[in-house]
Amino acid sequence: MRDLVIAGGGPAGLALAAAAARRGLDALVLERGALPADKACGEGLLPAGVRALEELGARAHLDPSAHAPVRAIRWIDGARVAEARLPAPGGLGVRRTALSAALLAAARAAGAEVRERAAVLGHRRLAGEVRVETGAGEERARLLVAADGLASAIGRREGLEGPPRPGRRFGLRRHFAIAPWSDAVEVHFAEGVEAYVTPAGPGRVGVALLCEEAARDAYPRLLARFPALAARLAGAPTDSPLAGAGPLARAVRRRTLDRLVLLGDAAGYLDAITGEGLSLALAGALALGAALPAALQAGAGAASFAAWERGERLRYARYAAVTRLVLALARRPALRARALDRLGRHPALFARLVAAAVA
Ligand SMILES: Cc1cc2nc3c(=O)[nH]c(=O)nc-3n(C[C@H](O)[C@H](O)[C@H](O)COP(=O)(O)OP(=O)(O)OC[C@H]3O[C@@H](n4cnc5c(N)ncnc54)[C@H](O)[C@@H]3O)c2cc1C
């Protein structure tokens, strides 16, 4: 019997596989799609995420043509601009396919087994083990980790899904073959929609559009709401197919049951406006990897993950508080104007707030 089966080979699942295998655990990842995987994402990795990549041994595997340093966050609302430098070690803009390839290499190098096109179809939690159903038969493990993304089918089957959250928002992303004009992630604000611009390589810029349900529209029409950005991108060839996701906000009742843990987006998500999902997923995976040897020895019951779950609740609560604050600014133009004026005049204050938010 394996120590753990991980459902989902996204950043959370692959990071956990690397962290667990580095501790000598027998980890199997089952990913329903092909790897490396692409996904709708703003692709900004905050300093905590960069540190996690280092710790997992994945940073060295990043394709140099598919990532770029990010040294600041810049908020732009028409003529109003406020910029905060990021704390050390800075951030990265990373094409999702490159991030996936690097985490896959780190997981395999650590000794984890990763199977592609191997969907988890069902599972049964029994006394002392979990049986995981795949198209190619059953896998037995002491623990199942559901890292199966926003719409976690495993979480839903277990009744862990929380009530729908109000204020549904959606994301769309596309890349443009153009040299980044800045080492900042830019967040442009307009009525009901934000554009999240990330350098994702020496010759590539990603533009993710986040919008309220009432503002949903085709990508080119949403982009046209940001005339200066649209003018900058005019004529640049597109460098990826359009990809979307949503509704973004998902609640869970809890993250652990006996022999089952939810990780990454599967464990709850609020919004992409602060660009924190990847860092949360990687940090959560590292913490879970550290907790696994003792938890498995104790039988992998929910109680053996209590300390990890408390840590995740705290991490999530901080992320949720900051995200709600930024969403409030996005939704209230007058408040946003005042905040940008103030933060624009006091970049050191903005940098301190960002450092406290992303530490
Ligand atoms: C528009 C948008 C912009 C974003 N921008 C940023 C950003 O700039 N910075 C940031 O940090 N975060 C950002 N995020 C959030 C980030 O994309 C997620 O937090 C991150 O992908 C979570 O990783 P994950 O591994 O939990 O889930 P996912 O990346 O969704 O991976 C889940 C994996 O599970 C697999 N899977 C699902 N079901 C099964 C099954 N039954 N069997 C096997 N495999 C299965 C899927 O194929 C997938 O590969 C953004 C999100 C959106 C939507």
Side-chain angles (χ1 to χ4, degrees), residues 240-282:
S240 66
L242 197 59
L248 299 178
R250 311 288 174 126
V252 294
R253 295 181 199 283
R254 51 186 298 182
R255 293 177 176 79
T256 56
L257 292 172
D258 290 345
R259 285 168 292 292
L260 180 80
V261 173
L262 304 185
L263 185 68
D265 281 6
Y269 191 66
L270 198 53
D271 200 85
I273 197 162
T274 49
E276 261 200 281
L278 289 168
S279 300
L280 275 181
L282 297 179

mmCIF file of all heavy atoms in Angstrom, residues 240-282:
data_model
loop_
_atom_site.group_PDB
_atom_site.id
_atom_site.type_symbol
_atom_site.label_atom_id
_atom_site.label_comp_id
_atom_site.label_asym_id
_atom_site.label_seq_id
_atom_site.Cartn_x
_atom_site.Cartn_y
_atom_site.Cartn_z
ATOM 1 N N SER A 240 -0.994 32.506 -26.875
ATOM 2 C CA SER A 240 -1.640 31.365 -26.208
ATOM 3 C C SER A 240 -3.110 31.405 -26.560
ATOM 4 O O SER A 240 -3.655 32.461 -26.876
ATOM 5 C CB SER A 240 -1.488 31.468 -24.676
ATOM 6 O OG SER A 240 -2.200 32.592 -24.183
ATOM 7 N N PRO A 241 -3.755 30.227 -26.493
ATOM 8 C CA PRO A 241 -5.210 30.254 -26.703
ATOM 9 C C PRO A 241 -5.887 30.894 -25.504
ATOM 10 O O PRO A 241 -5.318 30.950 -24.410
ATOM 11 C CB PRO A 241 -5.576 28.768 -26.798
ATOM 12 C CG PRO A 241 -4.454 28.040 -26.147
ATOM 13 C CD PRO A 241 -3.231 28.895 -26.235
ATOM 14 N N LEU A 242 -7.100 31.371 -25.718
ATOM 15 C CA LEU A 242 -7.870 31.961 -24.631
ATOM 16 C C LEU A 242 -8.238 30.863 -23.632
ATOM 17 O O LEU A 242 -8.587 29.755 -24.029
ATOM 18 C CB LEU A 242 -9.145 32.548 -25.245
ATOM 19 C CG LEU A 242 -9.927 33.546 -24.439
ATOM 20 C CD1 LEU A 242 -9.052 34.751 -24.092
ATOM 21 C CD2 LEU A 242 -11.142 33.987 -25.253
ATOM 22 N N ALA A 243 -8.118 31.162 -22.333
ATOM 23 C CA ALA A 243 -8.535 30.186 -21.318
ATOM 24 C C ALA A 243 -9.292 30.932 -20.239
ATOM 25 O O ALA A 243 -8.996 32.093 -19.946
ATOM 26 C CB ALA A 243 -7.318 29.483 -20.725
ATOM 27 N N GLY A 244 -10.277 30.280 -19.647
ATOM 28 C CA GLY A 244 -11.098 30.950 -18.640
ATOM 29 C C GLY A 244 -11.326 30.081 -17.424
ATOM 30 O O GLY A 244 -11.044 28.875 -17.432
ATOM 31 N N ALA A 245 -11.827 30.700 -16.359
ATOM 32 C CA ALA A 245 -12.139 29.961 -15.129
ATOM 33 C C ALA A 245 -13.206 30.723 -14.359
ATOM 34 O O ALA A 245 -13.320 31.937 -14.478
ATOM 35 C CB ALA A 245 -10.897 29.813 -14.257
ATOM 36 N N GLY A 246 -13.973 30.006 -13.566
ATOM 37 C CA GLY A 246 -14.931 30.655 -12.689
ATOM 38 C C GLY A 246 -16.175 29.820 -12.501
ATOM 39 O O GLY A 246 -16.323 28.779 -13.147
ATOM 40 N N PRO A 247 -17.075 30.210 -11.614
ATOM 41 C CA PRO A 247 -16.885 31.313 -10.680
ATOM 42 C C PRO A 247 -15.705 31.035 -9.746
ATOM 43 O O PRO A 247 -15.418 29.886 -9.420
ATOM 44 C CB PRO A 247 -18.201 31.385 -9.911
ATOM 45 C CG PRO A 247 -18.901 30.103 -10.163
ATOM 46 C CD PRO A 247 -18.355 29.492 -11.402
ATOM 47 N N LEU A 248 -15.015 32.117 -9.341
ATOM 48 C CA LEU A 248 -13.751 31.947 -8.630
ATOM 49 C C LEU A 248 -13.939 31.562 -7.159
ATOM 50 O O LEU A 248 -13.177 30.764 -6.629
ATOM 51 C CB LEU A 248 -12.929 33.235 -8.724
ATOM 52 C CG LEU A 248 -12.553 33.658 -10.155
ATOM 53 C CD1 LEU A 248 -11.790 34.971 -10.132
ATOM 54 C CD2 LEU A 248 -11.710 32.591 -10.842
ATOM 55 N N ALA A 249 -14.915 32.158 -6.494
ATOM 56 C CA ALA A 249 -15.008 31.962 -5.045
ATOM 57 C C ALA A 249 -15.647 30.619 -4.697
ATOM 58 O O ALA A 249 -16.726 30.294 -5.190
ATOM 59 C CB ALA A 249 -15.820 33.095 -4.436
ATOM 60 N N ARG A 250 -14.944 29.840 -3.887
ATOM 61 C CA ARG A 250 -15.463 28.531 -3.448
ATOM 62 C C ARG A 250 -15.172 28.371 -1.967
ATOM 63 O O ARG A 250 -14.043 28.618 -1.526
ATOM 64 C CB ARG A 250 -14.763 27.379 -4.165
ATOM 65 C CG ARG A 250 -14.679 27.491 -5.654
ATOM 66 C CD ARG A 250 -16.027 27.266 -6.318
ATOM 67 N NE ARG A 250 -15.903 27.530 -7.737
ATOM 68 C CZ ARG A 250 -16.262 26.664 -8.680
ATOM 69 N NH1 ARG A 250 -16.776 25.513 -8.356
ATOM 70 N NH2 ARG A 250 -16.125 26.985 -9.944
ATOM 71 N N ALA A 251 -16.173 27.947 -1.246
ATOM 72 C CA ALA A 251 -15.976 27.735 0.199
ATOM 73 C C ALA A 251 -15.926 26.240 0.492
ATOM 74 O O ALA A 251 -16.515 25.437 -0.226
ATOM 75 C CB ALA A 251 -17.127 28.377 0.955
ATOM 76 N N VAL A 252 -15.203 25.876 1.548
ATOM 77 C CA VAL A 252 -15.250 24.482 2.035
ATOM 78 C C VAL A 252 -15.604 24.507 3.522
ATOM 79 O O VAL A 252 -15.316 25.472 4.220
ATOM 80 C CB VAL A 252 -13.913 23.720 1.837
ATOM 81 C CG1 VAL A 252 -13.605 23.520 0.374
ATOM 82 C CG2 VAL A 252 -12.755 24.405 2.548
ATOM 83 N N ARG A 253 -16.234 23.431 3.966
ATOM 84 C CA ARG A 253 -16.625 23.348 5.384
ATOM 85 C C ARG A 253 -15.421 23.012 6.245
ATOM 86 O O ARG A 253 -15.271 23.501 7.347
ATOM 87 C CB ARG A 253 -17.710 22.287 5.576
ATOM 88 C CG ARG A 253 -18.996 22.662 4.864
ATOM 89 C CD ARG A 253 -20.084 21.619 5.065
ATOM 90 N NE ARG A 253 -21.085 21.781 4.027
ATOM 91 C CZ ARG A 253 -21.996 22.737 4.029
ATOM 92 N NH1 ARG A 253 -22.034 23.618 5.006
ATOM 93 N NH2 ARG A 253 -22.864 22.828 3.038
ATOM 94 N N ARG A 254 -14.569 22.138 5.774
ATOM 95 C CA ARG A 254 -13.314 21.807 6.455
ATOM 96 C C ARG A 254 -12.368 21.180 5.443
ATOM 97 O O ARG A 254 -12.774 20.802 4.347
ATOM 98 C CB ARG A 254 -13.563 20.871 7.644
ATOM 99 C CG ARG A 254 -14.396 19.636 7.301
ATOM 100 C CD ARG A 254 -14.725 18.836 8.519
ATOM 101 N NE ARG A 254 -13.483 18.346 9.125
ATOM 102 C CZ ARG A 254 -13.451 17.576 10.190
ATOM 103 N NH1 ARG A 254 -14.569 17.213 10.770
ATOM 104 N NH2 ARG A 254 -12.306 17.144 10.681
ATOM 105 N N ARG A 255 -11.091 21.054 5.843
ATOM 106 C CA ARG A 255 -10.077 20.571 4.901
ATOM 107 C C ARG A 255 -9.688 19.117 5.110
ATOM 108 O O ARG A 255 -8.977 18.544 4.296
ATOM 109 C CB ARG A 255 -8.800 21.416 5.035
ATOM 110 C CG ARG A 255 -8.949 22.833 4.592
ATOM 111 C CD ARG A 255 -7.667 23.621 4.822
ATOM 112 N NE ARG A 255 -7.821 24.960 4.294
ATOM 113 C CZ ARG A 255 -8.473 25.932 4.929
ATOM 114 N NH1 ARG A 255 -9.009 25.719 6.107
ATOM 115 N NH2 ARG A 255 -8.584 27.117 4.373
ATOM 116 N N THR A 256 -10.086 18.541 6.245
ATOM 117 C CA THR A 256 -9.620 17.177 6.535
ATOM 118 C C THR A 256 -10.766 16.301 7.024
ATOM 119 O O THR A 256 -11.681 16.757 7.705
ATOM 120 C CB THR A 256 -8.531 17.182 7.641
ATOM 121 O OG1 THR A 256 -9.062 17.835 8.802
ATOM 122 C CG2 THR A 256 -7.282 17.913 7.197
ATOM 123 N N LEU A 257 -10.683 15.038 6.646
ATOM 124 C CA LEU A 257 -11.509 13.968 7.209
ATOM 125 C C LEU A 257 -10.518 12.838 7.489
ATOM 126 O O LEU A 257 -9.348 12.938 7.123
ATOM 127 C CB LEU A 257 -12.547 13.485 6.187
ATOM 128 C CG LEU A 257 -13.665 14.477 5.804
ATOM 129 C CD1 LEU A 257 -14.477 13.897 4.650
ATOM 130 C CD2 LEU A 257 -14.560 14.765 7.002
ATOM 131 N N ASP A 258 -10.953 11.767 8.084
ATOM 132 C CA ASP A 258 -10.038 10.635 8.274
ATOM 133 C C ASP A 258 -9.520 10.169 6.911
ATOM 134 O O ASP A 258 -10.303 9.904 5.996
ATOM 135 C CB ASP A 258 -10.761 9.478 8.976
ATOM 136 C CG ASP A 258 -11.072 9.813 10.431
ATOM 137 O OD1 ASP A 258 -10.479 10.787 10.962
ATOM 138 O OD2 ASP A 258 -11.919 9.124 11.027
ATOM 139 N N ARG A 259 -8.225 10.152 6.777
ATOM 140 C CA ARG A 259 -7.541 9.673 5.563
ATOM 141 C C ARG A 259 -7.853 10.490 4.302
ATOM 142 O O ARG A 259 -7.708 10.018 3.182
ATOM 143 C CB ARG A 259 -7.815 8.175 5.320
ATOM 144 C CG ARG A 259 -7.028 7.293 6.260
ATOM 145 C CD ARG A 259 -7.469 5.880 6.256
ATOM 146 N NE ARG A 259 -8.791 5.697 6.823
ATOM 147 C CZ ARG A 259 -9.088 5.869 8.112
ATOM 148 N NH1 ARG A 259 -8.149 6.210 8.966
ATOM 149 N NH2 ARG A 259 -10.312 5.700 8.545
ATOM 150 N N LEU A 260 -8.282 11.738 4.500
ATOM 151 C CA LEU A 260 -8.528 12.618 3.340
ATOM 152 C C LEU A 260 -8.158 14.057 3.691
ATOM 153 O O LEU A 260 -8.548 14.561 4.742
ATOM 154 C CB LEU A 260 -10.007 12.579 2.933
ATOM 155 C CG LEU A 260 -10.319 13.483 1.737
ATOM 156 C CD1 LEU A 260 -9.932 12.824 0.430
ATOM 157 C CD2 LEU A 260 -11.794 13.860 1.699
ATOM 158 N N VAL A 261 -7.399 14.690 2.803
ATOM 159 C CA VAL A 261 -7.033 16.101 2.989
ATOM 160 C C VAL A 261 -7.325 16.848 1.684
ATOM 161 O O VAL A 261 -7.039 16.343 0.595
ATOM 162 C CB VAL A 261 -5.519 16.232 3.319
ATOM 163 C CG1 VAL A 261 -5.087 17.688 3.335
ATOM 164 C CG2 VAL A 261 -5.200 15.590 4.672
ATOM 165 N N LEU A 262 -7.911 18.036 1.798
ATOM 166 C CA LEU A 262 -8.086 18.920 0.630
ATOM 167 C C LEU A 262 -6.929 19.918 0.598
ATOM 168 O O LEU A 262 -6.579 20.491 1.633
ATOM 169 C CB LEU A 262 -9.394 19.708 0.725
ATOM 170 C CG LEU A 262 -10.709 18.953 0.875
ATOM 171 C CD1 LEU A 262 -11.883 19.940 0.812
ATOM 172 C CD2 LEU A 262 -10.877 17.896 -0.186
ATOM 173 N N LEU A 263 -6.391 20.169 -0.591
ATOM 174 C CA LEU A 263 -5.209 21.028 -0.716
ATOM 175 C C LEU A 263 -5.348 21.963 -1.922
ATOM 176 O O LEU A 263 -5.931 21.593 -2.943
ATOM 177 C CB LEU A 263 -3.974 20.126 -0.895
ATOM 178 C CG LEU A 263 -2.607 20.823 -0.935
ATOM 179 C CD1 LEU A 263 -2.260 21.420 0.435
ATOM 180 C CD2 LEU A 263 -1.510 19.844 -1.349
ATOM 181 N N GLY A 264 -4.763 23.148 -1.819
ATOM 182 C CA GLY A 264 -4.781 24.091 -2.943
ATOM 183 C C GLY A 264 -6.179 24.661 -3.138
ATOM 184 O O GLY A 264 -6.941 24.821 -2.176
ATOM 185 N N ASP A 265 -6.535 24.981 -4.378
ATOM 186 C CA ASP A 265 -7.858 25.564 -4.648
ATOM 187 C C ASP A 265 -8.985 24.665 -4.149
ATOM 188 O O ASP A 265 -10.071 25.159 -3.816
ATOM 189 C CB ASP A 265 -8.042 25.783 -6.159
ATOM 190 C CG ASP A 265 -7.334 27.039 -6.659
ATOM 191 O OD1 ASP A 265 -6.617 27.678 -5.856
ATOM 192 O OD2 ASP A 265 -7.506 27.365 -7.847
ATOM 193 N N ALA A 266 -8.752 23.355 -4.127
ATOM 194 C CA ALA A 266 -9.784 22.421 -3.651
ATOM 195 C C ALA A 266 -10.151 22.705 -2.196
ATOM 196 O O ALA A 266 -11.234 22.348 -1.739
ATOM 197 C CB ALA A 266 -9.289 20.980 -3.787
ATOM 198 N N ALA A 267 -9.246 23.383 -1.469
ATOM 199 C CA ALA A 267 -9.484 23.667 -0.050
ATOM 200 C C ALA A 267 -10.085 25.055 0.154
ATOM 201 O O ALA A 267 -10.092 25.564 1.276
ATOM 202 C CB ALA A 267 -8.174 23.544 0.723
ATOM 203 N N GLY A 268 -10.596 25.660 -0.923
ATOM 204 C CA GLY A 268 -11.251 26.968 -0.807
ATOM 205 C C GLY A 268 -10.466 28.050 -1.527
ATOM 206 O O GLY A 268 -9.239 28.030 -1.548
ATOM 207 N N TYR A 269 -11.218 28.997 -2.114
ATOM 208 C CA TYR A 269 -10.591 30.060 -2.900
ATOM 209 C C TYR A 269 -11.530 31.252 -2.881
ATOM 210 O O TYR A 269 -12.745 31.089 -2.780
ATOM 211 C CB TYR A 269 -10.366 29.574 -4.342
ATOM 212 C CG TYR A 269 -9.490 30.472 -5.175
ATOM 213 C CD1 TYR A 269 -8.157 30.642 -4.862
ATOM 214 C CD2 TYR A 269 -10.008 31.153 -6.268
ATOM 215 C CE1 TYR A 269 -7.339 31.478 -5.621
ATOM 216 C CE2 TYR A 269 -9.200 31.985 -7.035
ATOM 217 C CZ TYR A 269 -7.872 32.142 -6.701
ATOM 218 O OH TYR A 269 -7.066 32.962 -7.454
ATOM 219 N N LEU A 270 -10.952 32.432 -2.957
ATOM 220 C CA LEU A 270 -11.799 33.619 -2.925
ATOM 221 C C LEU A 270 -11.745 34.379 -4.247
ATOM 222 O O LEU A 270 -12.741 34.529 -4.936
ATOM 223 C CB LEU A 270 -11.362 34.513 -1.761
ATOM 224 C CG LEU A 270 -12.343 35.556 -1.303
ATOM 225 C CD1 LEU A 270 -13.700 34.951 -1.002
ATOM 226 C CD2 LEU A 270 -11.795 36.254 -0.065
ATOM 227 N N ASP A 271 -10.547 34.844 -4.605
ATOM 228 C CA ASP A 271 -10.436 35.625 -5.833
ATOM 229 C C ASP A 271 -8.962 35.736 -6.220
ATOM 230 O O ASP A 271 -8.074 35.611 -5.377
ATOM 231 C CB ASP A 271 -11.012 37.020 -5.646
ATOM 232 C CG ASP A 271 -11.356 37.663 -6.973
ATOM 233 O OD1 ASP A 271 -12.472 37.419 -7.486
ATOM 234 O OD2 ASP A 271 -10.505 38.376 -7.539
ATOM 235 N N ALA A 272 -8.743 36.014 -7.517
ATOM 236 C CA ALA A 272 -7.374 36.090 -8.037
ATOM 237 C C ALA A 272 -6.802 37.503 -7.960
ATOM 238 O O ALA A 272 -5.660 37.726 -8.354
ATOM 239 C CB ALA A 272 -7.348 35.595 -9.480
ATOM 240 N N ILE A 273 -7.554 38.457 -7.424
ATOM 241 C CA ILE A 273 -7.146 39.856 -7.541
ATOM 242 C C ILE A 273 -5.828 40.159 -6.822
ATOM 243 O O ILE A 273 -5.109 41.075 -7.201
ATOM 244 C CB ILE A 273 -8.292 40.794 -7.074
ATOM 245 C CG1 ILE A 273 -8.036 42.212 -7.588
ATOM 246 C CG2 ILE A 273 -8.465 40.782 -5.566
ATOM 247 C CD1 ILE A 273 -9.251 43.111 -7.577
ATOM 248 N N THR A 274 -5.496 39.369 -5.794
ATOM 249 C CA THR A 274 -4.230 39.598 -5.092
ATOM 250 C C THR A 274 -3.121 38.669 -5.595
ATOM 251 O O THR A 274 -1.997 38.729 -5.087
ATOM 252 C CB THR A 274 -4.398 39.400 -3.576
ATOM 253 O OG1 THR A 274 -5.080 38.160 -3.359
ATOM 254 C CG2 THR A 274 -5.187 40.525 -2.952
ATOM 255 N N GLY A 275 -3.425 37.799 -6.558
ATOM 256 C CA GLY A 275 -2.394 36.941 -7.147
ATOM 257 C C GLY A 275 -1.717 36.048 -6.127
ATOM 258 O O GLY A 275 -0.492 35.906 -6.122
ATOM 259 N N GLU A 276 -2.517 35.401 -5.278
ATOM 260 C CA GLU A 276 -1.927 34.643 -4.182
ATOM 261 C C GLU A 276 -2.166 33.139 -4.246
ATOM 262 O O GLU A 276 -1.606 32.397 -3.431
ATOM 263 C CB GLU A 276 -2.493 35.155 -2.856
ATOM 264 C CG GLU A 276 -1.581 36.123 -2.150
ATOM 265 C CD GLU A 276 -1.905 36.226 -0.686
ATOM 266 O OE1 GLU A 276 -2.870 36.926 -0.361
ATOM 267 O OE2 GLU A 276 -1.208 35.619 0.106
ATOM 268 N N GLY A 277 -3.028 32.685 -5.170
ATOM 269 C CA GLY A 277 -3.437 31.269 -5.144
ATOM 270 C C GLY A 277 -2.270 30.305 -5.237
ATOM 271 O O GLY A 277 -2.195 29.316 -4.497
ATOM 272 N N LEU A 278 -1.326 30.604 -6.133
ATOM 273 C CA LEU A 278 -0.190 29.694 -6.313
ATOM 274 C C LEU A 278 0.670 29.653 -5.056
ATOM 275 O O LEU A 278 1.080 28.571 -4.607
ATOM 276 C CB LEU A 278 0.682 30.157 -7.488
ATOM 277 C CG LEU A 278 0.072 29.990 -8.878
ATOM 278 C CD1 LEU A 278 0.905 30.739 -9.920
ATOM 279 C CD2 LEU A 278 -0.004 28.514 -9.233
ATOM 280 N N SER A 279 0.934 30.819 -4.491
ATOM 281 C CA SER A 279 1.778 30.863 -3.294
ATOM 282 C C SER A 279 1.109 30.127 -2.140
ATOM 283 O O SER A 279 1.765 29.396 -1.395
ATOM 284 C CB SER A 279 2.075 32.309 -2.904
ATOM 285 O OG SER A 279 2.752 32.950 -3.971
ATOM 286 N N LEU A 280 -0.215 30.295 -2.002
ATOM 287 C CA LEU A 280 -0.953 29.578 -0.956
ATOM 288 C C LEU A 280 -0.866 28.072 -1.179
ATOM 289 O O LEU A 280 -0.647 27.314 -0.231
ATOM 290 C CB LEU A 280 -2.439 29.948 -1.015
ATOM 291 C CG LEU A 280 -2.938 31.186 -0.312
ATOM 292 C CD1 LEU A 280 -4.445 31.295 -0.523
ATOM 293 C CD2 LEU A 280 -2.624 31.131 1.174
ATOM 294 N N ALA A 281 -1.047 27.658 -2.436
ATOM 295 C CA ALA A 281 -1.034 26.222 -2.744
ATOM 296 C C ALA A 281 0.344 25.629 -2.446
ATOM 297 O O ALA A 281 0.457 24.551 -1.842
ATOM 298 C CB ALA A 281 -1.406 25.999 -4.220
ATOM 299 N N LEU A 282 1.403 26.344 -2.842
ATOM 300 C CA LEU A 282 2.759 25.817 -2.640
ATOM 301 C C LEU A 282 3.118 25.789 -1.155
ATOM 302 O O LEU A 282 3.682 24.819 -0.649
ATOM 303 C CB LEU A 282 3.782 26.650 -3.424
ATOM 304 C CG LEU A 282 3.622 26.651 -4.948
ATOM 305 C CD1 LEU A 282 4.690 27.526 -5.594
ATOM 306 C CD2 LEU A 282 3.688 25.247 -5.532
#
